[in-house]
Amino acid sequence: MIGGLFIYNHKGEVLISRVYRDDIGRNAVDAFRVNVIHARQQVRSPVTNFARTSFFHVKRSNIWLAAVTKQNVNAAMVFEFLYKMCDVMTAYFSKISEENIKNNFVLIYELLDEILDFGYPQNSETGALKTFITQQGIKSQTKEEQSQITSQVTGQIGWRREGIKYRRNELFLDVLESVNLLMSPQGQVLSAHVSGRVVMKSYLSGMPECKFGMNDKIVIDKQGKGGTTDDSGKSGKQSIAIDDCTFHQCVRLSKFDSERSISFIPPDGEYELMRYRTTKDIILPFRVIPLVREVGRTKLEVKVVIKSNFKPSLLAQKIEVRIPTPLNTSGVQVICMKGKAKYKASENAIVWKIKRMAGMKESQISAEIELLPTNDKKKWARPPISMNFEVPFAPSGLKVRYLKVFEPKLNYSDHDVIKWVRYIGRSGIYETRC
Amino acid sequence: MPAVSKGDGMRGLAVFISDIRNCKSKEAEIKRINKELANIRSKFKGDKALDGYSKKKYVCKLLFIFLLGHDIDFGHMEAVNLLSSNKYTEKQIGYLFISVLVNSNSELIRLINNAIKNDLSSRNPTFMCLALHCIANVGSREMAEAFAGEIPRILVAGDTMDSVKQSAALCLLRLYKTSPDLVLMGEWTSRVVHLLNDQHMGVVTAAISLITCLSQKNPDEFKTCVSLAVSRLSRIVSSASTDLQDYTYYFVPAPWLSCKLLRLLQCYPPPEDGAVKGRLVECLETILNKAQEPPKSKKVQHSNAKNAILFEAISLIIHYDSEPNLLVRACNQLGQFLQHRETNLRYLALESMCTLASSEFSHEAVKTHIETVINALKTERDVSVRQRAADLLYAMCDRSNAKQIVAEMLSYLETADYSIREEMVLKVAILAEKYAVDYSWYVDTILNLIRIAGDYVSEEVWYRVIQIVINRDDVQGYAAKTVFEALQAPACHENMVKVGGYILGEFGNLIAGDPRSSPLVQFNLLHSKFHLCSVPTRALLLSAYIKFINLFPETKSTIQEVLRSDSQIRNSDVELQQRAVEYLKLSSIASTDVLATVLEEMPPFPERESSILAKLKKKKGPGAVSNHLLKTRKACLTDIKGISTPSPSADLLGLRAGPPVTAAAPSAGSLLVDVFSEAGVNDDGFLRFVCKNNGVLFENQLLQIGIKSEYRQNLGRMYLFYGNKTSVQFVTFTTTLNVQAKPVEPLIEGGAQVQQVINIECLTDFSDAPLLNIKFRYGGALQNLTLKLPVTINKFFQPTEMASHDFFQRWKQLSLPQQEAQKIFKANHAMDTEVLKAKLLGLGMALLENVDPNPENFVCAGVIQTKAQQVGSLLRLEPNAQAQMYRLTVRSSKDTVSKRLCELLAEQF
């Protein structure tokens, strides 16, 4: 039960203020500004409590979104809602910026009225919202349209309206993963996990029923039982163990529970079908080998080797290695074999950028860092070397096995639908200690 | 950017600062700072030949970054380098950086000290000033060690520039405050004092701050400053407003200097030299006269400066407290301020008047303003001013105006702020009792008090009413009538019900004749309140009911019915249930005679001899007490100090020893007692300490004094802990001992505790314990307390172990009649062997086992260590269990010791 929702710019000025419940007074707006945005110490917790009022905030570039409540609410629900709110706003006016918010404030109030009712989150499906909250001026609706909207909003399938027609039935499926790693200097994996999302864009006519299949270990094993031993051995290698997953509301959970099959009637347009996390058998796309040598009190030699660890035919992109430098660095010389490297004083790091790199290659950088002797006895903490990249495969090993579409009422079959599948693996927090 | 001369502008710094200010977010600011730090590092690292200008610029940037809250761990060396520059701006930045950033344990301190030394010895006044400012700003112990010797020399040197002298004086003051042990004035004292004669007013102003601080520590050394200060003051006061040119502030000549001079004089008693005194009195008169003159300017600064001097002068007059003429004039002046439009002035006037009221000379003068003060209490907007007004009313109260003041305070209490109500209630209660002329007035007042502010009335206050009513036959009927009327109100405070229950239970019969207050009416009235009260009150009411049965047999059946009801006889509270059961049985079984005996009217409460109030009452009759107490407070104090007769507990209320009817008896000494026995020697705690070293010596509503002591041979150390039990701070807290003691903090915060250490050396044997006199101000009222410190001769015992044979040999040696002291006395406590043993051990002597043929007896041996001599003592204690008696025999090599020991011990068993 969210009591109110405020949006601030970076200066703490209120852009949007919507109060849903009487227990939230006007002074709550100021309380958050004074105690969080203008706080002397940076507030790191996303949940703060002042005068028995809880504030949940997220930040998008320079914009603060804060949900306020006096009750003991489910914090995860509130954050889920705030993120959803961000998604909805991006869907309506692309980037969330001060200017965009100011230009669309009528729309935002309209949206806030719709997706929160007396503080309870309502349907926040962009596709559905777009049918009745439009950016064009007021469109007079016919009686049928009105009743249609009513039946849709209140009906069983709130996320899809009836009577959608496309000439070309098309379907896009993206598997987006971010891989997180913490590795010791000796190359031992201290922690690693992948969090992934399956994002779909569907342009399908009618009310199609879809079925999505992937190499989930449980499903494969179940099927493997009936097959030959040889077959099961092969499939066992390729299947993945999913630690936990969440689905879009359109997925029939009862079916997933009983048969572990993912079947659903998709919303129209773009949506996130599922979210998952794996921790076993992760393919680490890069290996970072650091070598740091302190030469006296005033010099430091750093050598970093990166090795790509995937099929040579694939190309990794946007590679960036960030090597932290001590706080008393007074000068840096860098030599690298590939890409460009630069000492960024403002971030206290050497940043090495490589545009493209094929699999099973290696590259290295060496740097000499001059230090200024200080009277501070503290030793440099040696923060880890971090890395960013993008690879065209799923580091978790997830594969889409099938995506079937059935529309019994209309005259197109599974074969007529054009399907596109794409895998993108990105780095999350990918760090190696040095 | 303000325009600055070329080359000094430090454009880089200005750009950097404006960059920082333009940063949109914290992250951006951190990035910009990191970049700048890296740049400065590379600059400091790279070419060694960094010129002074860029060094200054970068050091400035570092300073700015530091002030933004980031850590700076380099650049100190460069800053120190700047110190040796010859350019003022570069030196200044260097010193600035060092005073802000260098911590005392840095290894650079030697270099810094060197640079400072160079600057101090240079003849350039600006450089000297910079160095002095740096020393004062850092103000560390190291700095004091290095320069405490140097600075006085600069201060008194003949050729030092005036500006440097000023800085040197203030710098020395700062060092003195941080490490007084290192600043030794000794030989410089007289020359520093003579700075008061300096031509330059600035130097005098700076020097006087130093002298005031120094003279507070050792007043004797700086005694000579009094006459100099007086002459300086008279020159300033008598000068025309144009004489002092730069030092005239809005037509007031040198106001700061005047205030400081007056404050310095407040450190000393009135000058003995007649001429000096005459001159000072003249000055003070002039100041008072000037206050009467029409203002020379309408500006607020003018009046502020003038009033500052005036108030300082008035506090000096109050401090001297010897010039009746001046005191009265000061009082009149303050009276004018009481009606001033400025709230601050009114506040200050009320505050000063409070102190004036306690002076015997001006008390009458203060009293003339009573109407104004009462008006202030009623109409003042600011609560702090109202509080002062209440304080003043309390202070000015005496017999002549007590009725009026108490009435005014009571009527104000109805609308008073919650924050001051508790204090007001206390004051009204104290005043009402202190100045009570007839007791019916007193009863009226206190009942009114309970009616108006029941929540704030403490237990002691209503105990006291009951006590007085019981002790005075003449008010009993009146009191019964009054409480009966008060209880008629639909909503009564619980305290009122308590008083009502108690008094009607005792004296309900006195008003029973009136049909409007017939017994049954009384009972029903009380019982109608019963269910709204808490358990202790209900218990009290039950006791009142059983008394009713005795007083009015006709109510018996009604009351028995009530007692028999389930809500009483089956009450979940044990106390109530027990009372109900017992009273029910008592009323049904006992005959009327028995009932009449058991439930007899309460006997009068004993008025204890110890209380000063009781004593004075006996001497002068109840009416004269208060006057005597107030008017001759000073005389009294000295008198009473002489009275050292040991006296029993000062518990005037004595409800503790009261009959069983009042279940809720006070457990600690009560407030009212403290008020009245304020000047008496309090030694009920004293005897408890003969056999122990630690514990609570004294405790009342305001103050708790704890003691911790340790003794070795003829030396002892005693820690006194003064705990403030209230939430208000005690000011001007002083303790004086008729032996030497370290001074104690003059201020005790509410709820806080301060400690005082007393070192004791026993020179020779003694029988009188040292007296400790404690004075402090709580709220407006001066509290005075005299305690016997529990230092007794036995504290210096060294135990001596000896065998039976040795003991009796020595016992025989000490056979002269004056060497022995014997006492036979009745046991005060149970005769428990273990307790006796513990007490004897606590005495400090060695308890010798298997010495006396009779195992029941105790024998002890010990040597008293004094500086002059050692006194061996032997002791024998023979308890007689049948007769509950003891025989105590002490033999020692000195007759006085035997006697004293015997006296002390006789009280212990």
Side-chain angles (χ1 to χ4, degrees):
Chain A
M1 299 104 268
I2 295 166
L5 198 133
F6 308 126
I7 302 180
Y8 302 84
N9 65 7
H10 72 281
K11 285 184 211 150
E13 292 162 352
V14 188
L15 304 178
I16 301 287
S17 140
R18 178 74 173 86
V19 175
Y20 293 95
R21 286 180 174 239
D22 289 340
D23 55 356
I24 301 300
R26 290 283 149 196
N27 50 0
V29 190
D30 297 323
F32 182 77
R33 176 180 52 232
V34 171
N35 293 307
V36 178
I37 302 179
H38 291 160
R40 204 162 290 171
Q41 251 91 44
Q42 206 180 341
V43 175
R44 306 185 81 167
S45 160
V47 184
T48 39
N49 242 300
F50 310 106
R52 321 192 75 203
T53 312
S54 308
F55 296 84
F56 305 79
H57 74 265
V58 297
K59 221 182 152 190
R60 282 281 177 277
S61 64
N62 275 334
I63 298 298
W64 300 74
L65 271 91
V68 191
T69 182
K70 283 218 166 178
Q71 273 142 328
N72 186 14
V73 296
N74 182 349
M77 184 273 281
V78 177
F79 282 110
E80 186 65 38
F81 171 78
L82 286 176
Y83 286 126
K84 202 77 209 179
M85 173 81 201
C86 290
D87 288 346
V88 169
M89 287 199 289
T90 0
Y92 270 93
F93 44 81
S94 66
K95 202 169 167 279
I96 299 180
S97 65
E98 187 178 345
E99 202 186 330
N100 277 346
I101 287 179
K102 280 182 178 162
N103 290 340
N104 291 294
F105 81 95
V106 177
L107 171 75
I108 293 173
Y109 278 115
E110 230 178 308
L111 283 171
L112 284 175
D113 278 346
E114 195 56 43
I115 59 180
L116 269 181
D117 187 2
F118 195 47
Y120 293 98
Q122 306 294 309
N123 190 356
S124 53
E125 198 52 52
T126 324
L129 284 172
K130 276 194 170 164
T131 57
F132 47 88
I133 298 178
T134 52
Q135 277 157 295
Q136 287 83 46
I138 299 160
K139 189 171 73 181
S140 60
Q141 283 155 328
T142 62
K143 259 226 167 94
E144 291 122 61
E145 274 176 317
Q146 264 178 353
S147 69
Q148 195 193 339
I149 285 172
T150 317
S151 75
Q152 192 214 322
V153 170
T154 53
Q156 210 176 11
I157 304 168
W159 57 88
R160 189 178 179 96
R161 65 190 163 92
E162 293 203 41
I164 301 170
K165 265 215 169 90
Y166 288 103
R167 205 183 307 154
R168 232 155 75 113
N169 287 307
E170 227 173 345
L171 207 138
F172 299 86
L173 195 144
D174 288 350
V175 177
L176 307 171
E177 294 196 337
S178 78
V179 52
N180 300 284
L181 168 78
L182 183 63
M183 193 180 251
S184 77
Q186 289 75 33
Q188 195 184 354
V189 176
L190 300 172
S191 83
H193 74 269
V194 170
S195 59
R197 304 191 296 148
V198 179
V199 177
M200 282 179 98
K201 223 185 255 178
S202 59
Y203 303 105
L204 300 171
S205 312
M207 282 295 220
E209 172 89 30
C210 298
K211 206 169 172 194
F212 173 68
M214 55 179 182
N215 55 344
D216 182 358
K217 200 170 182 195
I218 297 169
V219 179
I220 301 283
D221 284 358
K222 215 189 266 174
Q223 288 172 351
K225 259 182 214 162
T228 60
T229 46
D230 186 40
D231 198 32
S232 73
K234 198 186 157 200
S235 62
K237 197 180 163 192
Q238 286 180 348
S239 64
I240 61 159
I242 288 174
D243 282 19
D244 48 57
C245 52
T246 53
F247 293 102
H248 188 266
Q249 57 168 333
C250 65
V251 174
R252 293 199 181 89
L253 290 177
S254 56
K255 249 193 176 154
F256 179 77
D257 288 340
S258 57
E259 300 164 28
R260 218 164 161 92
S261 70
I262 302 163
S263 66
F264 54 96
I265 297 172
D268 198 34
E270 192 175 339
Y271 58 97
E272 185 185 285
L273 180 65
M274 76 180 279
R275 240 185 267 176
Y276 60 92
R277 204 171 69 93
T278 69
T279 49
K280 288 206 185 72
D281 301 323
I282 293 165
I283 307 158
L284 297 174
F286 285 95
R287 168 83 210 280
V288 178
I289 304 161
L291 271 172
V292 180
R293 200 159 67 91
E294 282 176 50
V295 189
R297 273 189 72 198
T298 57
K299 208 167 167 190
L300 200 69
E301 281 180 5
V302 181
K303 204 165 112 181
V304 176
V305 180
I306 58 167
K307 281 185 183 168
S308 56
N309 182 26
F310 46 88
K311 269 190 249 167
S313 56
L314 298 177
L315 271 181
Q317 284 182 306
K318 300 177 187 169
I319 301 155
E320 187 187 286
V321 183
R322 183 175 288 264
I323 306 162
T325 56
L327 292 175
N328 55 344
T329 304
S330 61
V332 178
Q333 274 92 46
V334 210
I335 308 160
C336 58
M337 286 158 48
K338 215 174 164 201
K340 281 180 192 162
K342 206 178 160 191
Y343 168 57
K344 286 204 171 162
S346 59
E347 287 150 47
N348 281 321
I350 299 168
V351 180
W352 176 27
K353 282 183 179 166
I354 304 170
K355 275 197 182 133
R356 247 172 251 105
M357 190 168 175
M360 299 319 242
K361 290 261 170 54
E362 75 172 64
S363 184
Q364 104 173 19
I365 183 174
S366 56
E368 270 184 26
I369 301 172
E370 283 176 70
L371 303 175
L372 188 76
T374 62
N375 45 8
D376 212 3
K377 298 290 181 291
K378 268 183 291 176
K379 234 183 148 231
W380 179 44
R382 289 204 185 188
I385 295 171
S386 62
M387 203 177 162
N388 290 317
F389 52 80
E390 204 178 289
V391 287
F393 61 91
S396 67
L398 182 131
K399 292 259 159 49
V400 177
R401 287 172 60 225
Y402 57 81
L403 178 60
K404 291 173 193 156
V405 181
F406 310 100
E407 172 48 291
K409 286 186 194 146
L410 295 173
N411 56 349
Y412 69 91
S413 71
D414 185 33
H415 301 290
D416 302 329
V417 179
I418 306 158
K419 299 166 192 165
W420 306 86
V421 179
R422 181 165 69 156
Y423 297 95
I424 301 172
R426 291 203 182 91
S427 58
I429 297 167
Y430 200 87
E431 294 180 329
T432 308
R433 290 189 180 153
C434 62
Chain B
M1 253 324 270
V4 272
S5 67
K6 219 177 154 194
D8 250 4
M10 294 198 280
R11 238 184 83 77
L13 178 67
V15 169
F16 173 59
I17 292 173
S18 73
D19 276 3
I20 294 276
R21 295 212 169 129
N22 288 335
C23 280
K24 287 242 160 139
S25 66
K26 213 153 207 164
E27 294 77 38
E29 186 184 307
I30 290 169
K31 276 189 173 169
R32 178 71 185 89
I33 284 168
N34 279 337
K35 198 174 149 197
E36 194 60 45
L37 283 175
N39 175 36
I40 297 171
R41 280 195 299 261
S42 69
K43 284 288 187 322
F44 282 173
K45 169 83 182 180
D47 34 314
K48 285 273 172 251
L50 212 56
D51 61 344
Y53 167 75
S54 14
K55 232 185 245 170
K56 179 182 74 176
K57 183 174 79 185
Y58 293 129
V59 166
C60 256
K61 282 183 181 175
L62 285 179
L63 197 54
F64 184 75
I65 293 169
F66 177 78
L67 294 178
L68 284 177
H70 299 265
D71 276 342
I72 296 294
D73 51 6
F74 65 100
H76 300 79
M77 200 58 217
E78 282 70 19
V80 174
N81 285 344
L82 282 179
L83 294 188
S84 51
S85 159
N86 273 328
K87 274 196 189 143
Y88 171 75
T89 50
E90 288 168 20
K91 212 184 249 297
Q92 181 201 24
I93 295 295
Y95 274 123
L96 190 60
F97 186 89
I98 279 163
S99 24
V100 172
L101 256 163
V102 170
N103 47 356
S104 52
N105 51 9
S106 146
E107 55 216 40
L108 288 170
I109 210 86
R110 205 171 39 81
L111 286 171
I112 296 167
N113 282 357
N114 220 3
I116 292 178
K117 233 171 222 150
N118 284 339
D119 279 339
L120 283 185
S121 54
S122 77
R123 307 312 302 164
N124 186 330
T126 44
F127 289 1
M128 287 173 89
C129 281
L130 278 178
L132 286 168
H133 294 167
C134 178
I135 296 171
N137 279 333
V138 176
S140 65
R141 210 172 156 78
E142 287 73 20
M143 284 287 183
E145 270 165 11
F147 300 107
E150 187 101 346
I151 296 168
R153 194 183 51 74
I154 296 172
L155 178 59
V156 296
D159 54 349
T160 314
M161 296 276 287
D162 290 333
S163 58
V164 180
K165 271 190 190 166
Q166 283 180 43
S167 302
L170 294 176
C171 179
L172 197 58
L173 175 63
R174 159 82 177 153
L175 291 186
Y176 184 76
K177 277 180 179 165
T178 49
S179 29
D181 51 319
L182 290 175
V183 182
L184 300 168
M185 291 313 290
E187 57 212 286
W188 309 113
T189 306
S190 66
R191 296 174 74 182
V192 169
V193 170
H194 275 93
L195 283 176
L196 288 180
N197 270 341
D198 202 282
Q199 302 275 313
H200 194 264
M201 298 285 267
V203 176
V204 184
T205 314
I208 203 161
S209 299
L210 176 66
I211 292 168
T212 309
C213 185
L214 287 170
S215 63
Q216 272 161 358
K217 281 271 176 268
N218 4 312
D220 290 340
E221 286 180 37
F222 287 86
K223 227 173 194 159
T224 45
C225 69
V226 173
S227 60
L228 289 178
V230 170
S231 64
R232 186 95 222 181
L233 184 66
S234 86
R235 260 180 285 158
I236 294 171
V237 170
S238 57
S239 66
S241 58
T242 48
D243 287 357
L244 294 165
Q245 289 167 354
D246 288 353
Y247 288 86
T248 301
Y249 176 82
Y250 288 89
F251 306 106
V252 183
W256 280 275
L257 183 53
S258 312
C259 283
K260 283 182 174 181
L261 283 166
L262 287 164
R263 213 167 278 169
L264 174 63
L265 289 171
Q266 282 173 50
C267 301
Y268 289 95
E272 281 144 21
D273 184 357
V276 177
K277 191 169 184 186
R279 207 160 170 201
L280 180 58
V281 169
E282 206 173 287
C283 281
L284 293 172
E285 268 169 355
T286 322
I287 293 171
L288 288 173
N289 286 341
K290 273 194 184 166
Q292 295 298 329
E293 287 169 14
K296 294 196 179 96
S297 158
K298 284 211 169 113
K299 288 259 170 62
V300 67
Q301 289 95 330
H302 171 72
S303 58
N304 275 350
K306 222 166 83 170
N307 291 334
I309 298 174
L310 183 64
F311 273 105
E312 248 355 293
I314 289 175
S315 39
L316 182 65
I317 292 169
I318 295 170
H319 170 76
Y320 283 167
D321 198 10
S322 58
E323 298 286 331
N325 178 29
L326 283 177
L327 279 166
V328 170
R329 281 195 64 187
C331 183
N332 293 340
Q333 185 59 50
L334 289 177
Q336 285 180 17
F337 283 146
L338 283 181
Q339 279 150 325
H340 205 275
R341 353 184 229 102
E342 277 278 314
T343 314
N344 290 336
L345 266 183
R346 289 196 304 267
Y347 179 94
L348 287 170
L350 286 168
E351 200 182 22
S352 306
M353 267 214 183
C354 243
T355 34
L356 268 179
S358 54
S359 162
E360 49 182 314
F361 300 113
S362 52
H363 185 76
E364 287 304 320
V366 171
K367 268 166 67 185
T368 54
H369 299 289
I370 183 162
E371 292 303 330
T372 328
V373 180
I374 288 170
N375 205 28
L377 187 66
K378 281 179 183 159
T379 56
E380 204 56 72
R381 274 204 189 144
D382 190 329
V383 63
S384 59
V385 183
R386 287 198 298 268
Q387 162 106 54
R388 290 289 143 248
D391 282 349
L392 179 54
L393 273 184
Y394 178 71
M396 69 163 66
C397 187
D398 64 12
R399 278 192 53 68
S400 62
N401 53 15
K403 263 197 176 169
Q404 186 191 5
I405 286 179
V406 169
E408 288 297 346
M409 282 173 108
L410 263 181
S411 72
Y412 171 63
L413 202 54
E414 290 185 56
T415 53
D417 302 78
Y418 291 99
S419 53
I420 63 170
R421 270 197 184 184
E422 190 175 355
E423 209 188 318
M424 291 281 293
V425 167
L426 218 62
K427 283 184 168 153
V428 171
I430 290 171
L431 289 179
E433 171 150 7
K434 217 173 183 176
Y435 302 115
V437 197
D438 61 289
Y439 283 99
S440 54
W441 175 74
Y442 173 73
V443 170
D444 275 346
T445 308
I446 299 294
L447 289 182
N448 253 335
L449 194 64
I450 295 174
R451 186 177 55 78
I452 292 166
D455 285 338
Y456 300 92
V457 174
S458 58
E459 300 271 277
E460 284 80 7
V461 174
W462 75 262
Y463 290 167
R464 186 72 187 138
V465 190
I466 287 174
Q467 202 188 348
I468 285 182
V469 169
I470 287 180
N471 286 9
R472 316 285 316 180
D473 300 337
D474 43 338
V475 284
Q476 285 164 357
Y478 178 76
K481 193 164 152 265
T482 325
V483 284
F484 179 77
E485 275 160 13
L487 283 175
Q488 305 275 354
C492 287
H493 192 268
E494 200 168 324
N495 280 339
M496 183 65 95
V497 178
K498 285 180 186 169
V499 177
Y502 199 103
I503 290 184
L504 289 183
E506 292 293 332
F507 310 112
N509 54 340
L510 297 179
I511 55 168
D514 192 329
R516 282 168 299 172
S517 54
S518 69
L520 219 53
V521 174
Q522 286 183 36
F523 171 73
N524 286 335
L525 181 61
L526 277 182
H527 199 60
S528 68
K529 315 282 180 197
F530 186 87
H531 303 280
L532 307 169
C533 297
S534 62
V535 170
T537 313
R538 287 184 188 195
L540 190 148
L541 284 179
L542 286 181
S543 298
Y545 296 170
I546 188 76
K547 290 235 162 191
F548 265 54
I549 293 185
N550 177 40
L551 289 179
F552 320 113
E554 66 265 37
T555 58
K556 186 169 176 177
S557 57
T558 324
I559 291 174
Q560 276 181 337
E561 198 58 41
V562 168
L563 290 174
R564 207 175 286 126
S565 72
D566 276 358
S567 60
Q568 309 303 348
I569 211 153
R570 297 215 176 130
N571 198 299
S572 59
D573 188 85
V574 184
E575 177 70 29
L576 289 184
Q577 197 185 57
Q578 189 178 354
R579 282 191 190 218
V581 171
E582 285 177 2
Y583 292 161
L584 187 60
K585 281 285 159 214
L586 183 68
S587 63
S588 47
I589 292 171
S591 68
T592 16
D593 289 349
V594 174
L595 214 55
T597 325
V598 172
L599 301 170
E600 203 184 358
E601 191 180 304
M602 295 289 271
F605 287 87
E607 302 257 357
R608 305 285 174 93
E609 290 304 304
S610 70
S611 166
I612 183 72
L613 180 68
K615 239 177 212 177
L616 289 172
K617 256 185 185 165
K618 242 184 210 168
K619 229 188 274 175
K620 310 224 168 185
V625 174
S626 43
N627 245 346
H628 181 83
L629 204 76
L630 190 85
K631 285 278 174 69
T632 57
R633 187 185 285 169
K634 279 183 189 163
C636 238
L637 281 183
T638 47
D639 271 347
I640 286 152
K641 264 185 207 159
I643 307 168
S644 63
T645 44
S647 45
S649 158
D651 190 350
L652 183 78
L653 295 183
L655 279 194
R656 219 183 318 181
V661 182
T662 37
S667 55
S670 59
L671 178 71
L672 283 174
V673 176
D674 309 321
V675 173
F676 292 111
S677 64
E678 59 184 9
V681 176
N682 203 323
D683 69 349
D684 58 336
F686 175 69
L687 285 169
R688 283 188 286 122
F689 282 90
V690 171
C691 291
K692 61 178 187 174
N693 285 336
N694 306 332
V696 176
L697 175 64
F698 174 81
E699 183 167 7
N700 66 11
Q701 290 281 310
L702 309 173
L703 182 73
Q704 185 188 45
I705 304 176
I707 264 191
K708 212 179 135 181
S709 49
E710 54 203 34
Y711 296 91
R712 241 184 54 223
Q713 298 197 327
N714 68 329
L715 299 177
R717 176 169 294 167
M718 183 174 279
Y719 298 90
L720 288 169
F721 299 92
Y722 302 98
N724 181 346
K725 286 167 74 179
T726 65
S727 53
V728 188
Q729 65 179 27
F730 295 163
V731 291
T732 61
F733 190 91
T734 54
T735 63
T736 46
L737 197 58
N738 52 5
V739 292
Q740 197 61 37
K742 279 191 184 165
V744 67
E745 287 287 315
L747 218 142
I748 306 184
E749 290 294 339
Q753 198 184 52
V754 299
Q755 185 188 353
Q756 185 182 26
V757 185
I758 298 171
N759 285 315
I760 302 161
E761 186 180 7
C762 180
L763 299 172
T764 177
D765 65 291
F766 60 94
S767 54
D768 290 330
L771 291 180
L772 176 74
N773 187 349
I774 299 161
K775 284 186 193 172
F776 58 92
R777 272 183 191 282
Y778 163 68
L782 185 75
Q783 307 282 334
N784 196 332
L785 199 69
T786 306
L787 294 173
K788 261 191 186 180
L789 273 191
V791 182
T792 45
I793 186 78
N794 65 298
K795 298 288 178 196
F796 304 97
F797 258 128
Q798 285 286 105
T800 345
E801 293 288 345
M802 56 180 77
S804 169
H805 172 72
D806 292 337
F807 181 83
F808 285 107
Q809 197 180 357
R810 285 181 200 212
W811 185 265
K812 274 173 202 148
Q813 278 169 6
L814 300 168
S815 56
L816 291 174
Q818 66 265 34
Q819 282 175 333
E820 186 185 273
Q822 195 174 61
K823 222 169 194 178
I824 298 169
F825 53 91
K826 225 174 157 68
N828 289 329
H829 306 279
M831 288 176 133
D832 183 353
T833 322
E834 289 308 310
V835 175
L836 284 176
K837 269 188 187 169
K839 279 189 176 169
L840 286 169
L841 281 175
L843 192 65
M845 299 174 94
L847 186 63
L848 304 177
E849 307 274 355
N850 306 325
V851 171
D852 201 282
N854 182 356
E856 294 284 301
N857 293 352
F858 298 93
V859 289
C860 302
V863 178
I864 292 175
Q865 307 268 354
T866 70
K867 204 185 173 193
Q869 65 185 125
Q870 299 192 339
V871 185
S873 307
L874 301 172
L875 176 148
R876 192 173 186 196
L877 181 71
E878 294 152 279
N880 181 345
Q882 276 92 43
Q884 291 285 308
M885 299 281 272
Y886 291 100
R887 185 165 73 184
L888 176 72
T889 319
V890 181
R891 285 189 182 185
S892 71
S893 50
K894 214 168 173 197
D895 51 346
T896 47
V897 172
S898 312
K899 243 185 229 139
R900 179 65 184 156
L901 278 177
C902 205
E903 275 166 23
L904 282 174
L905 285 174
E907 307 285 339
Q908 297 301 315
F909 302 108

